[in-house]
Amino acid sequence: MDLILTGRLIEPKEALDWGLASRVVSSETALIQSLNLAKEIVKFPQECLRADRESALHATFSSQNIDEAMSFESENSAQVLTTEAIIGAKKFTAGLGRVASSM
């Protein structure tokens, strides 16, 4: 609420501490690091990512309570579970997509 009401700028460390940022990088490497992150994300099943994103946005901005958010996520992801999610889970259990392995 502080930032919304005051519009004050915050330092990267504070944004990270508050959970507003997931990482902090130098301005000299920001473009390269963001492109590397995009290259990682694009390897994942896109329909699953879209369903997860939509569920997160719905839970944050539209749900009245946790039950409604969970219900939306179940309904929203049901079709994706029968396609990409099963294939992706099999790849993950085989070792693909984990931090120590490459896709």
Side-chain angles (χ1 to χ4, degrees):
M1 188 60 82
D2 171 7
L3 300 179
I4 293 170
L5 296 177
T6 65
R8 78 176 175 87
L9 297 176
I10 62 172
E11 294 296 319
K13 170 83 170 80
E14 187 176 10
L16 186 65
D17 291 344
W18 285 21
L20 299 174
S22 58
R23 64 186 77 183
V24 175
V25 300
S26 70
S27 58
E28 293 82 23
T29 65
L31 178 59
I32 299 289
Q33 296 223 21
S34 64
L35 291 172
N36 287 338
L37 178 59
K39 288 176 187 175
E40 288 178 42
I41 292 171
V42 77
K43 293 177 186 176
F44 294 109
Q46 295 301 296
E47 290 300 316
C48 286
L49 290 175
R50 283 187 198 95
D52 288 347
R53 179 181 182 276
E54 191 173 347
S55 293
L57 290 172
H58 181 82
T60 303
F61 299 111
S62 301
S63 291
Q64 297 296 316
N65 54 52
I66 186 78
D67 292 331
E68 183 184 338
M70 296 303 290
S71 177
F72 179 87
E73 184 167 358
S74 294
E75 294 167 15
N76 188 45
S77 63
Q79 204 257 318
V80 176
L81 288 175
T82 62
T83 57
E84 287 186 342
I86 293 171
I87 294 166
K90 288 180 181 177
K91 287 180 180 180
F92 183 79
T93 58
L96 295 174
R98 295 185 185 176
V99 174
S101 67
S102 62
M103 291 185 74

